[in-house]
Amino acid sequence: MPSGLVALLDDVAGITKLAAASIDDIGAAAGKAGTKAAGVVIDDTAVTPRYVTGFTPDRELPIIWKIAKGSLKNKLLFLLPGAMALSAFAPWAITPLLMIGGAYLCFEGTEKVFEALFHHEEHGDIPPLALEAAELEREKVGGAIRTDFILSAEIMAIALADVADRPLGIQAAVLAAVGILITVAVYGVVALIVKMDDIGLHMAERRFSAARAFGRGLVLGMPVLMKALSVIGTAAMIWVGGGIVVHGMEEFGFTTLPHALHHFAEVAGHAVPAAGGAVEWIVGALGSGIVGLVIGALVVAILHMVKRARGSAHH
């Protein structure tokens, strides 16, 4: 009986060690995958704050919370099972789906550029309160969650590619960990960004002169930062979308354009040895952005032609 108990305890200890090792593997893989997805995470963080511009301060955090819940739902209820199914049954479909998502990002970003450049006067007479506040909020949240779906798909795809050789259980655990941690990080930072002006107002009322000066600086600087983030967010959609399409072209053997972009970026990086890595990244991002603009412009043109054709058919 004692020997049986000792054997049982040995088995329990062995299972515990195995579970601990699995947890360590999951944590290490999640950290590695999350690091590789850092570029998309930064883009996601830059894109989101523009969805709360124009709302009263009391609605900013509730809107971010709604978007964060939608993002977590995207990752855990849709993308995670979908990624597992694709990994198990149709791994060949992952790249085409990502390219379609990248083209959508290019379209959305380029359309905003076109609206800013060419349609400002056309929409200038539309009153800002033409929509009910609740309806406008629903539209903004819905748009943010749709954009998040594409960015989240890219994050999950990067994570999946990094653990593709692991068992399905480990893959699922890593994707879940990456999805949760990145959602908390992104929307925590976004919440801090959009409430920074309120923090500045609070500090401006403090007794200490240094705190007051810092608070006033935050209040004055936040509108500039929000406008900058709006521009960065639009640019991020275009260059991330272009980068996804370029990477997909490379996967399918259409290497002329991807190799040309890589070569040009490497040459630029070698030309500035002191900051070669940064220069190479910037030039690569610009190349992806140009590709994204071209793709987005083509999609916008096609959709406008379809709309005109439908309008002519109705008349």
Side-chain angles (χ1 to χ4, degrees), residues 144-225:
I145 292 174
R146 285 192 297 273
T147 300
D148 173 271
F149 186 89
I150 306 299
L151 293 172
S152 293
E154 175 67 0
I155 290 168
M156 299 294 266
I158 292 170
L160 179 61
D162 203 54
V163 294
D165 58 339
R166 303 293 187 91
L168 283 178
I170 296 292
Q171 291 182 25
V174 168
L175 292 185
V178 168
I180 293 170
L181 292 175
I182 284 179
T183 301
V184 171
V186 166
Y187 291 99
V189 171
V190 169
L192 182 62
I193 289 172
V194 300
K195 298 309 291 182
M196 197 66 76
D197 52 350
D198 293 339
I199 295 172
L201 283 172
H202 179 71
M203 293 185 68
E205 297 172 354
R206 306 294 288 179
R207 194 181 313 174
F208 302 105
S209 58
R212 289 201 304 271
F214 185 72
R216 285 195 290 267
L218 283 179
V219 172
L220 293 174
M222 284 313 297
V224 177
L225 176 61

Side-chain angles (χ1 to χ4, degrees), residues 35-57:
T35 300
K36 287 192 174 183
V40 184
V41 172
I42 293 169
D43 300 333
D44 203 357
T45 307
V47 167
T48 307
R50 66 188 179 86
Y51 288 103
V52 299
T53 55
F55 289 96
T56 57

Side-chain angles (χ1 to χ4, degrees), residues 44-123:
D44 203 357
T45 307
V47 167
T48 307
R50 66 188 179 86
Y51 288 103
V52 299
T53 55
F55 289 96
T56 57
D58 63 302
R59 294 306 308 157
E60 290 174 344
L61 289 182
I63 289 172
I64 292 170
W65 173 239
K66 288 180 180 180
I67 298 171
K69 287 193 296 183
S71 176
L72 205 56
K73 184 177 178 182
N74 283 341
K75 293 180 179 74
L76 298 184
L77 296 186
F78 301 117
L79 293 171
L80 176 56
M84 291 298 92
L86 288 174
S87 179
F89 303 111
W92 54 267
I94 295 175
T95 299
L97 289 174
L98 282 176
M99 292 179 73
I100 293 171
Y104 173 80
L105 283 179
C106 296
F107 156 70
E108 187 172 345
T110 305
E111 189 176 44
K112 293 182 186 304
V113 172
F114 283 4
E115 286 177 357
L117 293 176
F118 305 117
H119 300 296
H120 181 71
E121 293 181 2
E122 180 181 331
H123 296 291

Side-chain angles (χ1 to χ4, degrees), residues 68 71 262 315:
S71 176
H262 293 327
H315 291 298

